[in-house]
Amino acid sequence: MAVNVAIVGATGAVGEEFIRILESRKFPVKELRLLASKRSAGKKMRFCGVEYTVQELTRHSFQGIKIALFSAGSSISKEYVPYAIESGAVCVDNSSAFRMDDDVPLVVPEVNPQDIAKHHGVIANPNCSTIQMVVALKPIHDVAKIKRIVVSTYQSVSGAGLKAVDELQRETASILAGKNDFQRKLFPHQIAFNVLPQIPQSNAFLQNGYTSEELKMVNETKKIMGDHSIRITATTVRVPVLRCHSESVNIETEKKITVAEVRKLLAKSPGVTLMDDPANQVYPLAPFAAGKDDVFVGRIREDESIDKGINLWIVSDNLRKGAALNAIQIAEKLL
Ligand code: A2P
């Protein structure tokens, strides 16, 4: 049965992807309502060959809406999700507003689809870096029980929105043109030809020296995997890549698992594509993963510094599996 769907943040990096994925997966949309800020009201966007006009988000935007997909930042979600629920919609929220609330399910369909049923009007979509990591690690956790995770991320600028993509492109062009007068608006330092060990770019570091993105990876992983005993530490880094996050992940397991066993396991895991042929220089890369649905895993090696350790390289499209696709997979399960 077709339903009325609203997209909050339709003009953003994830919003545009929502539209494309609803279309390509033939999600049963009866009416589509595209919502954004006042600045974008009147803008035209296409869905299934039809032109839609973007409307300004207000508390009255959700009348008749069954599914509301939110990706306009945490403060917008906090303010407007309650209005959407009041109107009878179920919200899938891509922001961090409700992720750690006890009564809000935090879901990756390949990992904990059973949690969807526990919702009270909102289901949280996890952080992009967390999603791709747990899709790859859950099958290993199920057979060998992961005790500890050490992860370093290499995150693309699109994770910080369209303005960040624009800043990287313009700064790169400016540097290549030999100019040194580029005015940064978003990143605290040069992002072109550089890597920044600070995500998000706007937040100060927490007292323990970590960033909120790093804590999201720690806390969300435990909640999604349903195991608070896993010890996790993360370093999240912004790199001058347009799309797809890459991750170097080291795990220590309770039970010994070999490289061959990990490969065999991941080769048959839903949502994972194994790309691990070092002899032929085959391993996951951001330009390859861009626009694709799966989480790509390669460079699988034993960690020879401990008895039961494995290293992996995990790459996925942060706007798709890391955001819009995961949210739409949740919505599909809701229907
Ligand atoms: P707008 O384009 O009108 O600013 P991104 O993550 O790429 O930066 O996109 C953020 C999304 O959130 C955009 O669609 C943006 O709309 C939307 N947004 C930002 N502020 C508001 C607001 N106050 N009300 C509704 N939507 C907003």
Side-chain angles (χ1 to χ4, degrees), residues 16 21 23 115 129 242 249 268 277 279 296 321 325 327:
E16 287 179 356
I21 296 175
E23 191 173 280
D115 289 346
S129 297
L242 291 176
V249 178
K268 61 177 176 69
D277 182 7
F296 297 86
K321 186 57 190 168
L325 173 65

Side-chain angles (χ1 to χ4, degrees), residues 8-16 35-41 43 54-58 71-73 75-76 79-80 158-164:
V8 179
T11 52
V14 174
E16 287 179 356
L35 303 164
S37 78
K38 202 175 183 166
R39 297 178 291 273
S40 304
K43 187 180 165 185
V54 176
Q55 300 172 27
E56 181 187 355
L57 172 68
T58 72
S71 195
S75 55
I76 297 290
E79 187 176 348
Y80 289 93
S158 55
L162 289 176
K163 289 194 183 96

Side-chain angles (χ1 to χ4, degrees), residues 303-322:
D303 173 357
E304 295 178 339
S305 71
I306 50 175
D307 287 339
K308 297 164 193 162
I310 293 284
N311 288 317
L312 311 101
W313 177 249
I314 303 171
V315 180
S316 192
D317 187 325
N318 56 299
L319 299 179
R320 289 180 76 89
K321 186 57 190 168

Side-chain angles (χ1 to χ4, degrees), residues 28-323:
V29 178
K30 193 154 104 195
E31 183 205 316
L32 184 66
R33 209 166 294 165
L34 302 180
L35 303 164
S37 78
K38 202 175 183 166
R39 297 178 291 273
S40 304
K43 187 180 165 185
K44 309 281 183 206
M45 296 181 84
R46 291 187 85 78
F47 170 70
C48 289
V50 178
E51 203 170 66
Y52 287 78
T53 305
V54 176
Q55 300 172 27
E56 181 187 355
L57 172 68
T58 72
R59 61 177 66 182
H60 307 295
S61 296
F62 301 97
Q63 264 179 359
I65 294 295
K66 261 273 165 289
I67 304 259
L69 304 168
F70 276 76
S71 195
S74 199
S75 55
I76 297 290
S77 291
K78 279 189 188 139
E79 187 176 348
Y80 289 93
V81 161
Y83 294 122
I85 296 175
E86 208 177 280
S87 300
V90 179
C91 307
V92 185
D93 180 30
N94 192 46
S95 84
S96 61
F98 308 103
R99 285 182 193 152
M100 295 313 296
D101 290 7
D102 283 340
D103 59 347
V104 175
L106 181 65
V107 176
V108 177
E110 289 85 347
V111 178
N112 60 336
Q114 72 283 357
D115 289 346
I116 293 176
K118 299 175 194 158
H119 79 83
H120 303 284
V122 56
I123 296 154
N125 203 49
N127 165 270
C128 42
S129 297
T130 308
I131 294 177
Q132 67 183 69
M133 185 170 81
V134 297
V135 167
L137 294 190
K138 181 61 163 48
I140 303 173
H141 188 55
D142 285 345
V143 304
K145 190 162 179 8
I146 296 173
K147 281 176 19 184
R148 180 167 185 249
I149 303 171
V150 181
V151 52
S152 297
T153 68
Y154 305 71
Q155 299 183 217
S156 67
V157 292
S158 55
L162 289 176
K163 289 194 183 96
V165 171
D166 181 61
E167 183 156 312
L168 170 61
Q169 288 173 328
R170 287 189 305 106
E171 189 176 44
T172 305
S174 163
I175 291 173
L176 288 175
K179 298 181 188 157
N180 58 4
D181 59 350
F182 183 73
Q183 296 290 319
R184 272 188 296 278
K185 292 205 184 101
L186 213 84
F187 291 109
H189 303 284
Q190 177 180 326
I191 180 65
F193 306 103
N194 198 8
V195 297
L196 302 181
Q198 181 191 339
I199 301 177
Q201 65 281 346
S202 55
N203 270 20
F205 288 90
L206 306 170
Q207 246 189 345
N208 61 3
Y210 284 81
T211 65
S212 57
E213 184 84 353
E214 288 161 350
L215 291 197
K216 284 176 194 171
M217 290 197 78
V218 172
N219 297 328
E220 294 181 19
T221 298
K222 293 177 184 187
K223 180 168 174 177
I224 301 161
M225 303 261 262
D227 186 343
H228 291 266
S229 72
I230 308 174
R231 306 181 77 167
I232 307 167
T233 186
T235 303
T236 57
V237 180
R238 189 74 71 195
V239 294
V241 167
L242 291 176
R243 197 164 165 146
C244 291
H245 293 349
S246 305
E247 297 176 345
S248 162
V249 178
N250 172 266
I251 56 169
E252 186 174 2
T253 54
E254 205 162 279
K255 207 180 128 214
K256 175 83 183 167
I257 185 163
T258 65
V259 168
E261 284 165 340
V262 172
R263 285 201 183 123
K264 205 167 150 198
L265 200 57
L266 293 182
K268 61 177 176 69
S269 296
V272 177
T273 297
L274 190 65
M275 281 189 83
D276 197 18
D277 182 7
N280 290 304
Q281 299 181 51
V282 173
Y283 36 75
L285 292 170
F288 175 82
K292 299 196 175 72
D293 287 349
D294 268 6
V295 171
F296 297 86
V297 186
R299 299 288 330 273
I300 302 170
R301 289 151 289 151
E302 195 163 310
D303 173 357
E304 295 178 339
S305 71
I306 50 175
D307 287 339
K308 297 164 193 162
I310 293 284
N311 288 317
L312 311 101
W313 177 249
I314 303 171
V315 180
S316 192
D317 187 325
N318 56 299
L319 299 179
R320 289 180 76 89
K321 186 57 190 168

